[in-house]
Amino acid sequence: MATMDPDTVNSSAVFRLGVLGAMATDLFANRIEAHELKPKHVGLMVVLAAGRVSSQLELAGVMGVAPSLVVALADHLEKLEAIQRVRDPADRRRQVLTLTDHGRALLATCGELAHAADAEFAADLTPAESAVLTGMLDRLAARQGLPPAATDHS
Amino acid sequence: MATMDPDTVNSSAVFRLGVLGAMATDLFANRIEAHELKPKHVGLMVVLAAGRVSSQLELAGVMGVAPSLVVALADHLEKLEAIQRVRDPADRRRQVLTLTDHGRALLATCGELAHAADAEFAADLTPAESAVLTGMLDRLAARQGLPPAATDHS
DNA sequence: TCAGAATCATTCGGACTCTGAATGATTTGA
DNA sequence: TCAAATCATTCAGAGTCCGAATGATTCTGA
């Protein structure tokens, strides 16, 4: 490349995705605040709703957070009666988390709030753009189990 | 509405942008770590490079953070000799921040790292999808009043 | 069968980031 | 000239998250 643009950073997808993502999360956090939820609580419920995973360690893996954080998030969701925590009879070390009816209702409410926020934040997203976002999220989620590039100081 | 998608949240742009943005920021943070920079340091430099703003209070406004945080970020960048801090002679309450040559070089390096990260982050995307993503980020950024991305003709 | 290694959840301490309330310096306005 | 406003700075503390113990349970091989 010849003379480089003075602000190459700002033209990178990673950087701008980060900035926009932070704004989006702040917006979403404000919308769900009244329900005593934070974005990560919703994230946990979303993973649960997907139905592929139920133990806390697996949750931590999919969400990319420490197991100890899942404990705190699950504690809170249990207090809200949004999830049930039951020891797996087949392996009593595991806690099996399941969404309660109330949890599903809460999640649906968050869905409505999120889409309302979309109207403000990403009003004119074309279906193609939505598809790209979805595709990226799916593929990145599919990369779980790779060397944790995010927090590897070993 | 009839039966709603079981996971409406996950189909909202705000939520997905938040998740992807967090991953993108983590990735970027890892890449610039060796230069003793965090994403917010780069963010400050990006705003400075845009050239519309120079005092710390203005910086705080554009970045959407507390003025006291700008102090800390600027302290560090000054220690790295990436910026200069000079009292505005016309108003000695103000600190005028300017990128040094080294700061510009650092920023350029971060740009390369960011674009390299793009390659990994969007590895599975087709060029068409990439273009859609870029266009979408442009429009979203404009909508949020962020500094416009310079067109990259590398 | 049984002791030791591995696995899962939990607790706890602490690192890190960020904010908001003082404080000090300077400028502005009446 | 003096009071109010403005900018930068410091500081204490809230909030979030991780990693290292700990305890409980399961798995393994001899």
Side-chain angles (χ1 to χ4, degrees), chain B residues 73-153:
Chain B
L73 295 173
D75 280 350
H76 187 242
L77 288 174
E78 195 181 20
K79 205 159 292 173
L80 295 180
E81 302 185 353
I83 65 170
Q84 259 189 347
R85 228 192 204 143
V86 178
R87 287 279 167 189
D88 184 348
D91 182 346
R92 297 209 304 280
R93 290 170 303 183
R94 296 185 164 222
Q95 297 271 36
V96 174
L97 307 190
T98 15
L99 281 174
T100 63
D101 286 346
H102 179 236
R104 265 181 293 273
L106 248 188
L107 193 51
T109 301
C110 290
E112 290 166 19
L113 294 173
H115 281 281
D118 277 5
E120 171 178 324
F121 201 74
D124 310 318
L125 294 184
T126 67
E129 285 173 323
S130 250
V132 170
L133 179 63
T134 305
M136 171 182 58
L137 291 180
D138 272 336
R139 277 190 294 110
L140 284 177
R143 199 184 173 79
Q144 304 300 322
L146 292 181
T151 18
D152 188 350
H153 299 296

Side-chain angles (χ1 to χ4, degrees), chain A residues 13-14 16 118 124 129 134 149, chain B residues 13-14 16 30 118 124 138-139:
Chain A
V14 163
R16 286 202 289 169
D118 277 4
D124 38 27
E129 290 167 336
T134 308
Chain B
V14 163
R16 289 190 311 225
N30 287 335
D118 277 5
D124 310 318
D138 272 336
R139 277 190 294 110

Side-chain angles (χ1 to χ4, degrees), chain A residues 2-143:
Chain A
T3 320
M4 193 172 262
D5 192 308
D7 191 358
T8 331
V9 175
N10 201 30
S11 70
S12 93
V14 163
F15 181 77
R16 286 202 289 169
L17 215 41
V19 175
L20 286 173
M23 300 177 93
T25 296
D26 283 351
L27 179 61
F28 184 54
N30 288 333
R31 299 303 178 89
I32 62 178
E33 198 178 19
H35 298 278
E36 303 180 78
L37 290 174
K38 311 243 169 180
K40 298 231 162 165
H41 296 127
V42 180
L44 196 158
M45 288 195 286
V46 166
V47 176
L48 272 189
R52 298 199 157 276
V53 138
S54 60
S55 89
Q56 298 187 179
L57 200 64
E58 290 168 323
L59 260 314
V62 172
M63 297 178 65
V65 301
S68 53
L69 180 57
V70 175
V71 173
L73 295 174
D75 280 349
H76 187 241
L77 289 174
E78 196 180 20
K79 205 160 294 174
L80 295 180
E81 302 186 354
I83 65 170
Q84 260 188 347
R85 230 197 205 136
V86 177
R87 288 279 167 192
D88 184 349
D91 182 345
R92 296 208 306 280
R93 290 170 301 183
R94 297 185 164 219
Q95 296 273 34
V96 174
L97 307 189
T98 16
L99 281 175
T100 63
D101 287 345
H102 180 237
R104 265 181 293 274
L106 248 188
L107 192 53
T109 301
C110 291
E112 291 168 18
L113 293 173
H115 280 281
D118 277 4
E120 172 178 322
F121 193 83
D124 38 27
L125 235 51
T126 68
E129 290 167 336
S130 268
V132 169
L133 269 189
T134 308
M136 288 189 71
L137 188 52
D138 285 346
R139 283 163 183 151
L140 288 171
R143 285 190 198 168

Side-chain angles (χ1 to χ4, degrees), chain B residues 15-111:
Chain B
F15 182 78
R16 289 190 311 225
L17 269 178
V19 175
L20 284 172
M23 300 177 94
T25 296
D26 282 351
L27 179 61
F28 184 54
N30 287 335
R31 298 305 179 87
I32 61 179
E33 197 179 20
H35 299 278
E36 301 180 79
L37 291 173
K38 309 243 168 179
K40 297 232 160 165
H41 296 128
V42 179
L44 196 158
M45 289 196 285
V46 166
V47 176
L48 272 188
R52 299 198 158 276
V53 137
S54 61
S55 88
Q56 297 187 178
L57 200 63
E58 289 168 323
L59 259 315
V62 172
M63 296 177 65
V65 300
S68 53
L69 179 58
V70 176
V71 173
L73 295 173
D75 280 350
H76 187 242
L77 288 174
E78 195 181 20
K79 205 159 292 173
L80 295 180
E81 302 185 353
I83 65 170
Q84 259 189 347
R85 228 192 204 143
V86 178
R87 287 279 167 189
D88 184 348
D91 182 346
R92 297 209 304 280
R93 290 170 303 183
R94 296 185 164 222
Q95 297 271 36
V96 174
L97 307 190
T98 15
L99 281 174
T100 63
D101 286 346
H102 179 236
R104 265 181 293 273
L106 248 188
L107 193 51
T109 301
C110 290

